[in-house]
Amino acid sequence: MLIKGETGDWEVVIGLEVHAQVISNAKLFSGAATAFGADPNTQVALLDAGLPGMLPVINRYCVEQAVRTGLGLKAQINLHSVFDRKNYFYADLPLGYQISQYTQPIVGKGSIVLDLPDGSSRTVGITRLHLEMDAGKSLHDQHPSKTYVDLNRAGVALMEIVSEPDMRSPEEAAAYLRKLRAILRYLGTCDGNMEEGSMRCDVNVSVRRPGGPFGTRTETKNVNSIRYVMMAIEYETNRQIEILESGGTIDQETRLFDTVKFTTRSMRSKEEAHDYRYFPDPDLLPLVLDQAWVDEIRSTLPELPDEKKARFMEQYKLSAYDAGVLVAEKASADYYEAVAKGRDPKIASNWVTGELFGALNRLGKSIEESPVSAADLGGLLDLLADNTISGRIAKDVFAAMLETGKSAAVIVEEQGLRQVTDTGAIEAAIDGVLAANADKVAEFRSGKDKLFGFFVGQVMKQTQGKANPALVNEILQAKLKG
Amino acid sequence: MSIDKATVAKIAHLARIKVPEDEQERLAGELNQILHWVEQLAEVDTEGVEPMTSVAAQTLRQREDVVTEGDIRDQVLANAPDRAAGFFAVPKVVE
Amino acid sequence: MTDLTRLSAAEALDGLARKDYSAVELTEVHIRAVEAARPLNAFVVETPELALEQARASDARRARGEAGPFDGIPIGVKDLFCTKGVQSTASSRILEGFVPPYESTVTANLFRDGAVMLGKLNMDEFAMGSANITSHFGPVVNPWSPGTLAQHDEAFAAEGAAAELVAGMGQPRPRQEWTFTRKLVPGGSSGGSAAAVAARCVMAATGTDTGGSIRQPAGFVGIVGLKPTYGRCSRWGIVAFASSLDQAGPMTRTVRDAAVMLRSMAGFDPKDSTSVDMPVPDFAAALTGDIRGLRVGIPREYRMDGMPAEIDRLWEKGVEMLRRQGAEPVDISLPHTKYALPTYYIVAPAEASSNLARYDGVRYGQRIDGTSLKDMYENTRAAGFGAEVRRRILIGTYVLSAGYYDAYYLKAQKVRSRIKQDFDEAFKRCDVILTPTAPSAAFGIGENTDDPIQMYLNDVFTVTVNLAGLPGISVPVGLSADRLPLGLQLIGRPFDEETLLRAAEALERAAGFEALPPFMAGAV
């Protein structure tokens, strides 16, 4: 995507660093719990508080989760990786360093395929994934002159997933985050909940002339929603173009997203003299993995969004777009497959992506919270398929299902919505309509074809919409001709 | 490589140790003396030598994902110079 | 009754087993000895009540027939070990008042086997030093320091538990006043441990050794100090100085005691990722006295310029002592020896600069307030750390900083690999290596302090062992012309403490070192 500037076109270059909290019972290097929302400092082991003489011992499951994620990102798994100390001082960093992986991460190069709104796809490179421990939480608003520190989160395992600078628009960045989140959720390695902070994003942005060399980038830290990521990119892009066009230069710096003004601002205070003095953590030995173990994890990987999409296109003959929409969340895909089973897959897809998603969107509910179960939606489609109800009635029945939670069959029965297929009854209705509108019949016969719809509408009205539309058409045609 | 007053100030800041300006010169001298002495390592041929990363010839042992610690807030906070409402307290940080 | 403070731990264990005396009696005698030894400043915390409680429990266990292998032995614990409910400071102001809610694995192991703790022992601050002069609680005095003893017939002015003890026994004791004519250092960093063991106020003590901190002070006070193979003793609960070098070990009066005590200290600990999962042998069983055919490597590079002739002679004597018992001296070469100290003074400060970052005044220890968080950090760490610790943190910070890492830290770790390879090669030709422990005998407090490097040279013979992760032991072998103890060091293969101890006991027996320091707590 090119951006028009005063002095010509610009292109934005975006790379994302995502911190994804690993789903595990215990922390990366201590036996304290990871659950969200506990009372302050109740999920803190002696190591997490940085007490003297305490030592880290790595959690095997966190390693497994990182490997699983690496495999899900089609990435290289490094059988030999090293934990380093990243040294800096902060009130919520009890050890005075973060145990992380610097030069030898557990996962190397991989890739993510983005599904873009126009149905096309685009591959974004993954540079690396490494394991590290989270810091605690500082609360600045609890006391007028003090900052309070809660170490419950300190030591929880994070995966830092770094992309290549392969994205070229805020929309692509959003698509990347959605896809990454979907993969993590499919894998069960991160819940992807950005509100609770279990997925956080640092946004690297630079601009350049199309095809030219990369410009200087800024890094906007800890942006905690996809919407904010898009806003931060938008703002940074414009800011940088403005500076460059007025003859200025971009400082390579860390910035902060302002969630009130939707702007970014420099964090110079934190930037000063950053020198993390990385070195291998002497309390830990190199992490060496067994290829057989990695293969075992690979063999238990679930079907991931891309494979599922391909299968949906193949098996259900869905369009790339529809398949992409359905597999975006594993729960949606599962829901769809339950509905599609033994039914017309195309109709199932239309109902799930159309009526159901639209309704859920309006209600602000997730697929897991859907008031209509997949079985019930399937029941509705069955009534449609065997002509018990018409397509129009089906929409009303679906609305009633959303409202009441009752099954389609019950609603149809209760409200007498069964479709009228008795030709005699339909003929009678048509006769009535034609008799009452003799003038219009004459107009039709003199060539005003458009009036056909009017007659259909009148007949449906007469039958409270229950008449089988195909029969109505057929009989009406015959009678009007006659 | 030689350390001057500015470098002393920089590393003192990185290490979060206050060094009064009138001590920087003396410290620079001491540190230079030590650094000059350790720089004799440059004589050693280490071409193709792997850096030692662990003394023990073993790989990293891993523990099971089981919660074994926690709910010891009193112990965790017992030695804190300042604490309130279950938190550690420090001078206010302005971001 | 014999003076119980003169017994070795192994002898005391026999006496306890024979019911010649109880653990409580043994402990009471040592509590008085600890008090009498206060002029040495060897203790930073005395724990007589705890000791008596542990001694009573020990007697109860023994009565039930459940005595452990170290049951009832009164020891001192270096202040680097975190001890539950007992102040643990690493002899630093920054940890003053810190009371751990946990027990280090090594001390827990010792208590499991019945050890009785008399108190926490003084040391160089954060174990950084070779003379025990950097402690926040003041220097420790070597009991071999020359002095004079004057006797007063006044009632013993005891305080606290000792006063109760004395009152309980109803016998006023004469007060003795010891005046040092020259105060010598006990070596460091485990200087308090060394002084307390040598002055007979504890039967044994724990030490830690990062560059020689067990062996050099052991040499300076005429006792045995053993640094085990890296990974043999858990580091969990020991205040970290340099994680890849630190190792706990016993400081005792005999090699046998070191063997017995190590067995109780050592063992696999799942809480320490660098702890090695190997069975702990019965080290004392390895003391067969038979060293026939043992190949003893004599590294030519340890014959250093300017080394006192008497140390060279002692070394030769040591070689001869082993040869006469059937061992076979072998000339070996450890070509990178001269680079060990500079390597150490990059690696150790680098690790320390990171390990000591947690002392920031936030969660425990001392805090000096400031106008901001950063100001509080800088005030706390400037005031909380002593000059040597500050110096090493700054050096360590520098060698890890951007642009210097490769030239210093990475280079040093490569040279370290070279040093390790030297030993691997040497051990193809020999079973143990014999060297002096230190390049001099104990020196005066206040000497060697102008030039940090001069002080660092104390560890020139010991530091190689830490860099390579090997076991090493210092054995007292003779006296200098000034009648000060001199030790020799034996170095073993990784995890072959048994051969090392067997050779050490042979050396000990041949040397027959029986000289006693002028200042003896038990003499009171």
Side-chain angles (χ1 to χ4, degrees), chain A residues 50-53 89 94-95, chain B residues 16, chain C residues 90 94-95 126 238-240 355-364 366 377 380-381 385:
Chain A
L51 284 160
F89 285 87
L95 298 170
Chain B
R16 296 293 186 276
Chain C
I94 210 159
L95 273 172
F126 282 105
I238 301 173
V239 174
N355 281 334
L356 271 58
R358 67 186 63 188
Y359 307 106
D360 59 7
V362 174
R363 295 162 312 283
Y364 48 80
Q366 295 295 301
Y377 283 155
T380 297
R381 292 166 59 80
F385 294 133

Side-chain angles (χ1 to χ4, degrees), chain C residues 339-362:
Chain C
Y339 300 108
L341 263 186
T343 299
Y344 176 83
Y345 275 95
I346 292 171
V347 174
E351 292 183 9
S353 72
S354 177
N355 281 334
L356 271 58
R358 67 186 63 188
Y359 307 106
D360 59 7
V362 174

